[in-house]
């Protein structure tokens, strides 16, 4: 907060509210053009002053509460609360202040820094990155700029994110049906029109829009126009054209013309043959009667003509909806009214997908190079190293074979003398827990001896050290002053990391888990980096002298 | 489907390499081939005695080939066992005495028949463990058809190994290991003398137990303690933990076991040192060498 003399106010004051308490002190609230301020009673300076740009949002106390309050929350997280204490008009005052703020705040809202948002998003989405950030930047091992240096690189070059592109909202085919009139009790109907429905009607039926433009607001009010619209036969199912009193009868005529022209134009899509569709009759009851319906009005029965009229209306409505949807963007590409013209067909990838079948075409094999193995017996040998062969003379072999033959020629199993008890008990000892053969088990359990939190910490250390080392090693070869500076900075960063993170961790595990050496490899990596730095530094000194 | 209906088959493959055993008989007479076979027989009998539906097969693996000791062509099986068996007179379960007699008879035949000259007298003692794997595997594949339809057979192989490995059968061996793994057939190994890398891998991949026994004379005890329980029972027992298996590859040029090496991207052969041309497939490779820094020429001051 800063002190501001009221006498030197050059800003316009929009609202003054007396009897507003802040921090249990009576005072007056001032809403000005660019800031909101509060001064204690009797003093002539402001003790609280906030620019609208700094305010993130406002909050009000709920209606039932005795204390009527307004709270301002700043971007920094701080908040200020004002208590409206005028017995008669506290609620009115508070609401007046709130309304004014509601109008003013959006104007000054700081456009959230896009980069900041992106960074926050990245940190939230990737917990590993977040941990790395905490380990390195928050504990001030490296600066935030260095941390983000490599990561935000593509952000400025790429196109704005796809979710900025807005898609046009289409028209629901049932928008007219959705209006759903309700009876209002005395033989009338209530139609609920929303702005969306009105827009749909205008987009689908440009004739209606034209009429609207002509008649409203000169001749009719909006309400009257829509009332007439719903009353006219134009809207209803049976469009029997009554007298020309109806302003919409022209629309009906226009629609007829439009429909005729659409039929004449036809659909120029070679994959669709609309003309071959017709009602086929199998027998009585399985379709339309045998006489083909004539188009002249005289021969039609009343029912037939009303059916035909409804069908015509449905078709027209659907065609208008589709036309309205495709009118906006794609008219240029696809020809009028979304119909594929023959010239655009060949370019359309979907067309080629529809008429071509991969497996029916001639196979285009990629030219390959045959594998040419000169010494393929190497594979058969396998990873068994040639062992030292101990030499046996042929005489030895003959002797052994004869001996065995001699032994086995009279072999009789002697199953009662297979095992002596001493041999058995020594074997059992070797096989019991703690015996000779059971010892290898304990060596494998290092990940069971160290608790998971320590393992987790070790993982974080590795991630942080890896990041720092990556920055360090990427500086080599050092061939610019920027890299020189960076490599020296990274070395100090590494040393700082070792001191602040690695050594305490080592001490901790030494206190608790004596024998295991968990950080040996990390130290080795750091040592390698230090020695490389040392070598580079001495070389640099030599070059200079 | 009770456990009684399930057939557990144990196939014991015994390495009866005569050269090794002959030498062994002279080195350490406490464990001779006879004693070894006795121990194997004890294990076989115990296995069959555990459950009525347990089955046994014993294969002797000789220098160049292997033989079924049990069941063999003399085994008529079923009810005829009683007639053929010379009764042992000790009230033994007939199936066991039949089996023992058959095994004994067959091994006598195997070990005493004249061995082909050119095959046996090799100068090195690297006699391979012959086709034991091929035979036993084929046997195992036939099994579902030997027994009635609907019976599940769980099988495992126990290899009792005496002599050293031979590297020549490596590819076949690995194929058999993977096939066994797919068929859920355990391969166990009881090694008497020198460690076998191939068997270690086999046990590791199929989930079996590898054990090199410290005392040969107590072979029977080790067999009963470690290799008699089947895989389900083993989970309830405290048995020797699996050994660390060396899966390092050997380089193609020297056959050294290496941890870091170079692999040709065309033929996948492994080398310990970089060479610009792969010797197996003759593909040439280019590697970017670090750029040489040209030394700056110093201007020489000319003296006038």
């Amino acid at each position: 907060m800063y002190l501001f003399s009221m006498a030197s106010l050059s800003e316009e004051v929009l609202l003054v509210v007396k009897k507003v308490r802040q921090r249990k002190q009576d005072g007056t609230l001032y809403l000005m053009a660019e800031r909101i301020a509060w001064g204690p009673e009797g003093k002539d300076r402001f003790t609280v002053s906030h620019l609208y740009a700094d305010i993130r949002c406002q909050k009000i106390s709920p209606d039932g509460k005795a204390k009527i309050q307004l709270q301002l929350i700043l971007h920094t997280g701080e908040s200020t609360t004002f208590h409206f204490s005028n017995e008669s008009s506290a609620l009115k005052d508070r609401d007046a202040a709130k309304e004014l703020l509601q109008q003013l705040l959006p104007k000054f809202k700081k456009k959230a820094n896009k980069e900041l948002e992106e960074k926050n998003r990245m940190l939230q989405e990737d917990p590993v990155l977040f941990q790395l950030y905490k380990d390195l930047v928050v504990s001030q091992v490296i600066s935030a700029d260095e941390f983000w240096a490599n990561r935000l690189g593509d952000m400025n070059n790429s196109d704005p994110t796809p979710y900025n592109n807005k898609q046009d909202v289409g028209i629901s085919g049932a928008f007219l049906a959705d209006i759903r009139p309700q009876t209002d009790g005395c033989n009338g109907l209530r139609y609920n029109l929303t702005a969306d429905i009105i827009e749909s009607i205008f987009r689908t039926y440009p004739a209606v829009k034209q009429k609207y433009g002509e008649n409203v607001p000169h001749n009719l009010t909006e309400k009257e126009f829509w009332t007439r619209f719903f009353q006219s036969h134009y809207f209803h199912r049976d469009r029997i054209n009554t007298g020309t009193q109806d302003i919409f009868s022209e629309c009906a005529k226009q629609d007829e013309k439009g429909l005729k022209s659409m039929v004449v134009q036809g659909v120029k899509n070679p994959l669709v043959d609309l003309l071959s569709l017709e009602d086929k009759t199998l027998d009585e009851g399985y379709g339309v009667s045998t006489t083909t319906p004539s188009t002249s009005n005289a021969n039609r029965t009343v029912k037939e003509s009303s059916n035909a009229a409804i069908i015509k209306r449905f078709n027209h409505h659907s065609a208008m909806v589709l036309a309205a949807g495709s009118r906006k963007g794609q008219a240029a590409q696809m020809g009028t009214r979304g119909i594929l013209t023959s010239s655009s067909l060949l370019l359309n990838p979907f067309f080629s997908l529809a008429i071509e079948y991969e497996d029916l075409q001639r196979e285009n094999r990629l030219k390959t190079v045959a594998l040419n193995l000169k010494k393929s017996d190497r594979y058969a040998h396998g990873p068994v190293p040639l062992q030292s062969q101990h030499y046996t003379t042929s005489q030895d072999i003959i002797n052994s074979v004869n001996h065995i033959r001699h032994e086995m020629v009279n072999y009789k199993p002697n199953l009662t003398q297979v095992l002596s008890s001493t041999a058995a008990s020594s074997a059992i000892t070797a096989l019991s827990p703690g015996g000779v053969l059971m010892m290898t088990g304990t060596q494998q359990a290092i990940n069971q001896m160290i608790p998971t939190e320590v393992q987790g910490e070790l993982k974080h250390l590795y991630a942080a050290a890896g990041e720092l080392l990556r920055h360090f090693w990427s500086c080599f070869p050092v061939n610019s002053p920027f890299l020189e500076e960076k490599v020296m900075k990274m070395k100090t960063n590494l040393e700082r990391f070792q001191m602040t993170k690695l050594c305490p961790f080592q001490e901790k595990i030494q206190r608790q888990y004596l024998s295991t050496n968990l950080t040996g490899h990390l130290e080795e990596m750091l040592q390698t980096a230090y020695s490389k730095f040392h070598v580079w530094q001495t070389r640099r000194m030599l070059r200079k002298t | 489907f009770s456990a009684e209906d399930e057939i557990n088959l144990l196939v014991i493959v015994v390495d009866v390499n005569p050269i090794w055993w002959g030498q062994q008989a002279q080195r350490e007479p406490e464990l001779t081939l006879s004693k070894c076979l006795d121990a194997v027989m004890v294990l076989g009998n115990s296995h069959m005695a555990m459950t009525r539906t347990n089955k046994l097969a014993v294969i002797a693996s000789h220098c160049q080939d292997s033989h079924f000791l049990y069941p063999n062509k003399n085994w008529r099986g079923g009810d005829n066992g009683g007639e053929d068996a010379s009764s042992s007179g000790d009230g033994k379960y007939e199936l066991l005495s039949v089996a023992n007699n058959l095994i004994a008879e067959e091994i006598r035949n195997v070990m005493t028949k004249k061995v082909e000259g050119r095959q046996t007298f090799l100068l090195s003692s690297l006699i391979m463990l012959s086709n034991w794997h091929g035979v036993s595997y084929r046997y195992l594949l036939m099994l579902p058809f030997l027994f009635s339809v609907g019976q599940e057979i769980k099988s495992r192989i126990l290899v009792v190994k005496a002599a050293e490995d031979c590297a020549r059968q490596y590819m076949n061996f690995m194929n058999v290991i993977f096939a066994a793994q797919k068929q859920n057939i355990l391969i166990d190994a009881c090694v008497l003398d020198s460690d076998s890398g191939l068997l270690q891998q086999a046990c590791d991949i199929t989930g079996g137990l590898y054990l090199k026994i410290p005392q040969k004379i107590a072979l029977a005890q080790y067999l009963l303690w470690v290799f008699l329980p089947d895989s389900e029972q083993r989970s309830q027992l405290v048995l020797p933990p699996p050994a660390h298996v060396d899966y390092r590859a050997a380089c193609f040029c020297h056959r050294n076991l290496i941890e870091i090496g170079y692999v040709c991207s065309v033929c996948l052969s492994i080398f310990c040192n970089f060479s610009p041309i792969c010797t197996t497939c003759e593909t040439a490779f280019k590697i970017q060498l670090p750029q040489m820094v040209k030394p700056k020429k110093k201007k020489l001051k000319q003296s006038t």
Side-chain angles (χ1 to χ4, degrees):
Chain A
M1 66 177 190
Y2 51 93
L3 306 177
F4 194 89
S5 166
M6 292 212 287
S8 61
L9 261 181
S10 49
E11 280 180 59
E12 188 193 335
V13 178
L14 300 172
L15 181 67
V16 178
V17 186
K18 295 222 163 76
K19 292 211 175 169
V20 176
R21 288 165 74 89
Q22 200 259 351
R23 295 233 184 114
K24 309 233 167 121
Q25 257 195 316
D26 278 319
T28 314
L29 188 69
Y30 297 85
L31 277 87
M32 293 179 276
E34 280 181 15
R35 72 183 81 237
I36 180 171
W38 178 89
E41 192 88 48
K43 303 275 175 68
D44 65 347
R45 55 183 166 79
F46 296 139
T47 46
V48 177
S49 164
H50 298 299
L51 286 170
Y52 294 130
D54 289 336
I55 299 176
R56 197 174 72 185
C57 64
Q58 59 166 335
K59 283 191 189 170
I60 57 172
S61 54
D63 283 336
K65 273 199 146 184
K67 254 192 177 181
I68 299 174
Q69 289 175 314
L70 179 85
Q71 187 184 43
L72 298 172
I73 303 177
L74 308 180
H75 284 299
T76 56
E78 285 173 36
S79 67
T80 316
T81 314
F82 299 107
H83 177 206
F84 292 80
S85 55
N86 190 333
E87 296 95 18
S88 50
S89 63
L91 191 61
K92 225 175 28 142
D93 291 339
R94 197 270 310 273
D95 287 340
K98 181 196 90 175
E99 302 266 343
L100 192 57
L101 273 175
Q102 251 179 351
Q103 287 173 20
L104 290 168
L105 282 180
K107 292 187 199 162
F108 291 89
K109 203 172 180 101
K110 241 189 224 168
K111 290 193 169 59
N113 190 355
K114 189 174 172 225
E115 247 185 67
L116 202 61
E117 251 185 43
E118 182 68 23
K119 286 180 189 173
N120 277 338
R121 191 185 63 85
M122 279 173 76
L123 286 181
Q124 270 173 19
E125 279 177 359
D126 188 359
V128 174
L129 191 66
F130 187 52
Q131 184 62 38
L132 203 59
Y133 186 79
K134 272 201 291 191
D135 282 340
L136 293 177
V137 179
V138 175
S139 57
Q140 296 186 350
V141 178
I142 62 174
S143 73
D145 290 328
E146 283 171 351
F147 181 78
W148 290 110
N150 291 347
R151 290 197 166 81
L152 290 178
D154 358 296
M155 218 198 57
N156 297 323
N157 300 334
S158 62
D159 298 317
T161 42
Y163 46 79
N164 280 343
N165 297 338
K166 283 207 170 136
Q167 280 183 329
D168 292 330
V169 178
I171 304 171
S172 154
F175 68 86
L176 282 179
D178 283 340
I179 298 179
R180 271 194 218 116
Q182 301 158 326
T183 52
D184 65 354
C186 33
N187 223 25
L189 289 170
R190 238 174 82 110
Y191 287 87
N192 243 341
L193 269 185
T194 62
D196 278 338
I197 296 178
I198 293 179
E199 196 196 322
S200 307
I201 295 177
F202 283 163
R203 277 170 77 183
T204 314
Y205 296 105
V208 175
K209 187 173 181 183
Q210 206 186 357
K211 286 286 170 192
Y212 183 88
E214 284 168 14
N215 290 311
V216 172
H218 334 283
N219 300 342
L220 307 161
T221 62
E222 198 172 341
K223 191 168 169 200
E224 281 175 10
F225 178 82
W226 290 115
T227 318
R228 288 240 198 142
F229 177 76
F230 287 119
Q231 278 175 348
S232 79
H233 283 290
Y234 177 76
F235 178 69
H236 290 291
R237 287 191 338 164
D238 316 321
R239 270 215 208 150
I240 302 163
N241 293 329
T242 53
T244 49
Q245 303 286 2
D246 201 345
I247 53 172
F248 294 103
S249 54
E250 237 184 75
C251 296
K253 286 192 192 123
Q254 261 185 342
D255 284 346
E256 283 264 356
K257 260 193 276 176
L259 191 60
K260 279 212 177 89
S261 72
M262 265 197 260
V263 169
V264 163
Q265 227 177 18
V267 174
K268 287 202 179 68
N269 186 346
L271 296 178
V272 175
D273 185 6
L274 285 177
L275 297 177
S276 67
L277 297 175
E278 60 186 22
D279 287 337
K280 289 194 167 63
T281 63
L282 294 176
D283 200 346
E284 207 174 301
Y286 284 97
V288 173
S289 61
T290 49
T291 57
T292 52
S294 67
T295 49
S296 69
N297 286 336
N299 291 344
R300 274 200 201 159
T301 62
V302 172
K303 185 161 181 261
E304 264 181 32
S305 61
S306 64
N307 283 347
I310 294 176
I311 292 175
K312 198 157 65 161
R313 273 206 71 197
F314 280 146
N315 288 340
H316 177 67
H317 176 75
S318 308
M320 296 298 283
V321 168
L322 283 177
S326 61
R327 200 174 293 141
K328 281 210 172 169
Q330 301 173 9
Q333 285 177 20
M334 298 264 251
T336 54
R337 296 215 168 172
I339 298 166
L340 292 170
T341 58
S342 46
S343 56
S344 67
L345 257 180
L346 296 169
L347 303 170
N348 190 344
F350 297 112
F351 180 68
S352 56
L353 272 180
I355 62 170
E356 286 173 0
Y357 287 98
E358 255 180 58
D359 43 356
L360 293 180
Q361 289 174 343
R362 202 172 308 149
E363 269 186 52
N364 293 328
R365 286 185 193 272
L366 293 172
K367 292 229 164 71
T368 53
V369 180
L371 188 61
N372 173 24
L373 293 176
K374 294 286 179 223
K375 300 185 186 166
S376 53
D377 55 316
R378 282 175 168 182
Y379 297 96
H381 197 263
V384 177
L386 294 169
Q387 283 160 337
S388 59
Q389 314 171 9
H390 57 262
Y391 186 79
T392 318
T393 63
S394 38
Q395 189 57 48
D396 281 340
I397 293 174
I398 297 172
N399 287 344
S400 311
V401 172
N402 285 337
H403 188 101
I404 264 297
R405 197 178 299 152
H406 187 74
E407 179 192 325
M408 296 305 286
V409 86
N410 294 316
Y411 168 65
K412 258 199 159 55
N414 186 2
L415 298 184
T416 53
Q417 303 277 335
V418 170
L419 198 55
S420 74
S421 55
T422 42
S425 51
S426 68
I428 293 177
T429 319
L431 287 169
S432 307
V436 163
L437 294 171
M438 309 293 276
M439 293 302 267
T440 51
T442 52
Q443 287 172 7
Q444 296 169 356
I446 192 168
N447 71 329
Q448 292 161 6
M449 294 201 300
I450 311 290
T452 37
E453 311 95 49
V454 177
Q455 287 184 37
E457 257 187 75
L458 188 64
K459 276 186 208 160
H460 291 148
L461 279 177
Y462 262 97
E467 181 68 15
L468 291 175
L469 285 167
R470 183 173 70 84
H471 279 285
F472 175 81
W473 287 105
S474 67
C475 298
F476 291 95
V478 183
N479 45 23
S480 79
F482 167 72
L483 284 177
E484 275 185 30
E485 233 184 83
K486 184 168 179 200
V487 79
M488 290 198 278
K489 204 161 32 120
M490 286 321 295
K491 192 220 171 214
T492 42
N493 283 343
L494 285 172
E495 286 176 337
R496 208 180 321 147
F497 170 78
Q498 189 170 22
M499 252 195 327
T500 58
K501 295 267 166 167
L502 195 55
C503 292
F505 179 73
Q506 269 174 313
E507 284 165 20
K508 186 171 107 165
I509 58 169
Q510 264 168 13
R511 267 184 275 129
Q512 299 174 23
Y513 317 100
L514 297 166
S515 54
T516 44
N517 179 13
L518 293 176
T519 55
H521 179 239
L522 270 176
E523 283 175 351
E524 203 184 304
M525 289 200 293
L526 291 174
Q527 212 44 55
T528 320
Y530 294 151
S531 46
K532 173 77 179 174
F533 180 80
H534 184 72
V535 163
W536 171 77
Q537 210 173 33
T538 37
R539 259 199 222 138
R540 193 159 151 262
M541 301 288 215
L542 287 175
R543 242 184 292 144
K544 280 192 177 168
T545 54
Chain B
F1 185 73
S2 67
E4 289 166 357
D5 297 341
E6 196 179 68
I7 295 178
N8 273 309
L9 171 67
L10 171 64
V11 180
I12 308 177
V13 179
V14 187
D15 178 10
V16 295
N17 184 323
I19 296 172
W20 189 89
W21 280 108
Q23 290 176 330
Q24 166 70 4
Q26 291 159 38
R27 278 193 300 254
E28 292 174 62
E30 308 95 42
L31 183 72
T32 57
L33 181 55
S34 320
K35 283 233 173 282
C36 174
L37 284 169
D38 285 349
V40 165
M41 239 184 257
V42 166
L43 176 65
N45 289 349
S46 312
H47 175 75
M48 287 202 285
M50 296 266 280
T51 314
R52 197 176 49 81
T53 54
N54 278 359
K55 305 277 178 218
L56 178 71
V58 183
I59 299 172
S61 158
H62 210 271
C63 306
Q64 300 277 354
D65 51 9
S66 17
H67 306 266
F68 265 94
L69 298 181
Y70 175 80
N72 57 42
K73 53 188 183 297
N74 299 327
W75 179 60
R76 301 221 173 53
D79 302 325
N80 291 339
E83 282 173 29
D84 289 351
S86 49
S87 79
S88 52
D90 57 1
K92 196 185 292 175
Y93 176 32
E94 265 166 20
L95 183 59
L96 301 185
S97 61
V98 165
N100 293 349
N101 291 338
L102 284 172
I103 292 173
E105 188 186 323
E106 192 62 23
I107 191 69
R108 282 195 296 266
N109 295 339
V110 166
M111 298 310 287
T112 52
K113 77 178 180 196
K114 189 151 193 287
V115 188
E116 305 271 293
R118 57 181 166 81
Q119 284 165 338
T120 339
F121 295 112
L122 298 173
L123 286 179
S124 73
S125 67
L126 289 175
I127 310 285
M128 59 188 168
L129 193 51
S130 70
N131 290 323
W132 67 265
H133 43 268
V135 171
S136 56
Y137 176 59
R138 282 197 290 275
Y139 175 62
L140 288 167
L141 280 182
M142 275 174 10
L143 283 177
F145 304 103
L146 296 177
F147 297 94
S148 48
V149 176
Q151 276 182 317
E152 282 238 347
I153 299 176
K154 276 184 66 178
S155 25
R156 57 190 171 103
I157 304 176
L158 167 65
V159 180
V160 178
K161 188 152 181 319
E164 290 129 355
D165 269 348
C166 170
R168 263 192 282 159
Q169 293 275 322
Y170 173 71
M171 288 305 260
N172 295 344
F173 194 91
M174 292 310 285
N175 285 335
V176 167
I177 294 176
F178 288 119
Q181 185 199 29
K182 279 275 186 303
Q183 301 269 7
N184 293 322
I185 297 173
L186 251 64
I187 298 181
D188 297 319
C190 183
V191 173
L192 300 178
D193 194 10
S194 44
D195 273 313
S196 156
L198 293 176
L199 277 176
Q200 279 179 345
Q201 284 192 44
C203 298
D204 193 43
I205 291 172
T206 58
L209 263 174
Y210 176 91
L211 187 67
K212 178 171 179 302
I213 57 174
Q215 285 174 289
K216 296 194 191 66
I217 50 169
L219 173 63
Q221 182 61 52
Y222 289 109
L223 289 178
L224 289 173
W225 185 280
V226 179
F227 297 108
L228 182 58
D230 62 28
S231 56
E232 279 164 19
Q233 294 158 0
R234 283 181 202 178
S235 57
Q236 319 285 333
L237 301 170
V238 177
L239 291 172
H244 171 73
V245 183
D246 189 356
Y247 276 114
R248 283 181 297 169
C251 67
F252 280 37
C253 33
H254 310 105
R255 295 270 129 220
N256 296 330
L257 292 177
I258 53 174
E259 279 155 11
I260 298 179
Y262 297 84
V263 178
C264 170
S265 53
V266 174
C267 63
L268 298 181
S269 41
I270 302 168
F271 300 103
C272 48
N273 275 318
F274 171 73
S275 76
I277 297 183
C278 169
T279 43
T280 315
C281 63
E282 297 187 345
T283 316
F285 288 102
K286 294 179 205 149
I287 276 195
Q288 249 187 356
L289 296 168
Q291 287 172 344
M292 301 289 290
V293 177
K294 288 187 187 150
K296 285 190 188 155
K297 285 185 184 161
K298 288 191 181 160
K299 283 187 186 163
L300 295 170
K301 280 191 183 163
Q302 289 186 333
S303 54
T304 49

